[in-house]
Each structure stands twice: as structure tokens, then as C-alpha cells.
Amino acid sequence: MTGTPATDLPAEFWEDRYRNSDRVWSGRPNELLVREVTGLAPGTALDLGCGEGGDAVWLAAAGWRVTGVDISATALERAARHAAEAGVGQRVSWERHELGRSFPEGTFDLVSAHYLQSPVELDQQGVLRRAADAVAHHGTLLIAMHAAWPSWMTEPPFPADFPTLDGLLTELALPEGEWTVETGETVRRTSVSPEGLDGFREDNVWRLRRN
């Protein structure tokens, strides 16, 4: 999530977000991805909302063959450059999709969706259902979402719905008996405001295995 949008058109908003900054993200993988994927046997992976490629590059370096997807062409160009510089360019392919309108074809051993939360239009529920459909048998669906605004934030920049642990599973409506929930947890991490005020932010993480 980011600040109040200047446009409500998703493709325009996110392209402007990347194009107007030299770098948006750190380039490091999400901590919850590393925690939940370490120990899984590498196979094919789909990284939804890959941004500048931090997660995709880490997965590729760990032996996965990765498809990274984002709405922004600028983000994908940076991600491809990051992968090439890391020596894993041949293990990652990149696809531009406005999720909710188009989606990658095929099935994958791992489908990862980290922080698919947006101040502009996004059919989050529909995208996550398609993400579940894209998981191969015995594969893994990994989702991480912010559970609330940071504790130090007294005036949120825009209205937002934060999925609960049980609420997201209800929304997904996964077929009974077809999935095993291996992780369903709220994780608290340190968060510091732009003014230097100490606080925390909570994230929810779900790891589900298709039986």
C-alpha cells in the first residue's frame, strides 16, 4: 500500500509509482517468503505482484524456476535487470498482467502473493481465487497481507479492508478436503514512522498445501 492515489487507474497509478522513483523496494526478499519457503523442494513458482523482483530473484537463487508478474513495465524491467545481475536471469521469466483482468497460464508448484493490497481498484478476492486455481497438486499457496495500519499511524491515508486469518479462508471458499492449512499466523514486526516514532505492524500469513 502507498499514499493517496493521484489516479484511480491501476496501470497508470503503478507505472507512475515506479517511474517516478529510482527504486521503490529494497531488493531483498520478503521475510515471510523466506521463512515459509525455506525447506520446500524447488520446482516452478509464480510470484504475483513481483515489483522490482526481490522475491523472484531469491526464489531463483534457491533453485526455483520462476514466473514474475506485475502490472508495471518499469518494475518488470528493473526486476529483469536485478535477476541478470544476480546471475539467475535464465531461471526467471517476466509477464505483465493487470491482475483481475488477466492472469498467467499454467499451474505451479508454488504460487506466492505478498501484499496484494492497493489504494486503487484490485479484485483481491478474485485474484487470490485464481492464484489457488494455479497451484499444482501437492503444491503450495503462500499469501501474506498487512493485518492493520502501523501502530503509530493515527490518520490512515485512505480506507482499507484488512483480511483476517479466518476471513480470507472463508472468502477463498476452497474445496473442502482439497487443501491443508500449514500456516495461519499473525506476525508482528517493528515499524518506524517517517518521523522516527517507534511502533509495530502486524501481518497475516497463510501457507496452504494442495492435497
Side-chain angles (χ1 to χ4, degrees):
M1 293 186 180
T2 187
T4 304
T7 173
D8 59 1
L9 299 175
E12 183 177 310
F13 171 82
W14 288 108
E15 183 59 25
D16 287 348
R17 175 88 165 101
Y18 285 101
R19 191 166 46 203
N20 294 334
S21 175
D22 290 337
R23 170 176 281 186
V24 174
W25 312 114
S26 69
R28 298 186 298 272
N30 283 298
E31 293 179 8
L32 291 173
L33 173 86
V34 175
R35 189 188 83 169
E36 295 296 326
V37 171
T38 297
L40 297 181
T44 56
L46 175 63
D47 181 13
L48 297 173
C50 67
E52 292 160 324
D55 285 359
V57 169
W58 182 86
L59 287 166
W64 296 81
R65 289 204 164 272
V66 187
T67 299
V69 172
D70 204 88
I71 192 173
S72 166
T74 296
L76 291 171
E77 290 170 4
R78 294 178 183 172
R81 187 162 58 247
H82 183 185
E85 291 170 351
V88 296
Q90 293 184 337
R91 301 192 65 83
V92 191
S93 60
W94 309 98
E95 296 185 16
R96 185 175 178 271
H97 291 274
E98 183 174 339
L99 295 172
R101 296 179 181 272
S102 64
F103 199 89
E105 296 183 355
T107 58
F108 303 83
D109 300 309
L110 170 68
V111 177
S112 175
H114 274 64
Y115 308 111
L116 289 182
Q117 296 165 287
S118 173
V120 292
E121 179 185 0
L122 173 67
D123 180 11
Q124 183 188 84
Q125 186 178 119
V127 172
L128 293 179
R129 285 179 176 172
R130 294 212 46 190
D133 289 341
V135 177
H137 288 294
H138 307 298
T140 296
L141 174 63
L142 178 60
I143 301 170
M145 295 280 183
H146 295 308
W149 293 107
S151 62
W152 44 260
M153 184 174 285
T154 57
E155 296 183 5
F158 56 87
D161 292 325
F162 295 100
T164 64
L165 289 173
D166 290 337
L168 183 134
L169 294 177
T170 299
E171 290 175 357
L172 286 179
L174 299 173
E176 187 175 352
E178 189 172 319
W179 295 83
T180 299
V181 179
E182 297 183 323
T183 300
E185 183 183 355
T186 301
V187 178
R188 179 176 290 190
R189 58 185 171 83
T190 299
S191 176
V192 180
S193 77
E195 295 77 26
L197 182 65
D198 290 335
F200 64 86
R201 188 162 200 179
E202 292 184 335
D203 292 339
N204 287 331
V205 57
W206 302 259
R207 190 181 78 193
L208 300 96
R209 178 174 52 81
R210 195 167 206 159
N211 300 329

